[in-house]
Amino acid sequence: MTGPRAAIVYNPLKVSDPQRMARRAGELCREAGWEEPVWLATTAEDHGAGVTARAVDEGADLVCALGGDGTVRQVAGALARTGVPLGVLGLGTGNLLARNLHLPHNDFNASLRAVLQGSVRPIDLGRVRFDDGPEHCFTVIIGMGMDAELMAGAEPRLKARLGWPAYLLGSARALAQRGFGARVVVDGRRPVAGRCRMVLVCNCGLLPGGIDLVPEARVDDGELDMMVFSPRGVVGWAAATLRAVTLHRRGHRIIRHSHCHTGLVSTRFPVPAEVDGDPVGSATTMRIRVDQGALLVRA
């Protein structure tokens, strides 16, 4: 009698010795009663979605994403509503979904053990469309404004050396920017317009550094959390940061927080945007929706 089989979709840029990892993965799978896993590399043309679809077609019982948040997002999007669960083996700078699922990260052995021994549960995905482009999925957070500027400005070598603090090195320049005018519509309600510095939409709220941006947010609560930041100057950012990491942000002019199922953000000129920490260029519109229970995970 054979056991279940996993496919491991890995990013060669994050995995320095895939053969050694493959041997270790085989040992861990056999110990857990699983068959030898199939290893599938991403490429410059296929960041993970294509090989994940192939793994599903070939009967994989589990598809693991081994790499950064971008690889996890690509695999998650391809697995949505297939009935095949995702295993997160985070090796990136942020490891956002692994943190929010309380999974180990940057430790291959511990991560794979946790996934193989975990139980299957459904979680939500976010969906976003910038301007007239294609719809993307997101697992944790998207944004327009300062957060995207910080992501785009981080040096890859510093990210590899320092991890998530590398994003903070460009914060002084980003703090000096004036911001942008935005019109925000939540769940079809009356639009709210004003000047802001950053708009975030969260599927769940735990960030690197132990920052719980939205403490009440859950990855399976069937809704998204939109936060519009409108601070002025360094003092305003200090106040916004304090309020963002406490429970005192509701109803304050610095941060507007709304639970939502759909949302539309329109800006007067193109603003930098990011999806799960990956810069995606600039846009003047951001349309978001929640895809409730779309993804199965083992955690």
Side-chain angles (χ1 to χ4, degrees), residues 161-185:
R161 180 180 176 184
L162 302 178
W164 68 267
Y167 293 120
L168 303 179
L169 296 182
S171 59
R173 183 177 62 182
L175 285 172
Q177 300 297 319
R178 293 185 56 209
F180 54 93
R183 180 178 182 269
V184 179
V185 179

Side-chain angles (χ1 to χ4, degrees), residues 67-137:
D69 293 318
T71 303
V72 172
R73 177 169 55 84
Q74 290 284 332
V75 176
L79 289 176
R81 304 207 174 274
T82 64
V84 178
L86 166 72
V88 182
L89 310 177
L91 287 182
T93 306
N95 298 308
L96 297 176
L97 185 57
R99 294 173 191 272
N100 281 275
L101 294 174
H102 306 293
L103 286 168
H105 49 88
N106 286 323
D107 183 332
F108 176 73
N109 291 352
S111 296
L112 185 55
R113 281 196 185 98
V115 166
L116 294 175
Q117 297 169 3
S119 57
V120 176
R121 57 178 286 206
I123 66 170
D124 305 327
L125 285 177
R127 302 285 184 177
V128 60
R129 186 188 303 276
F130 295 104
D131 293 342
D132 296 323
E135 187 176 64
H136 303 278
C137 88

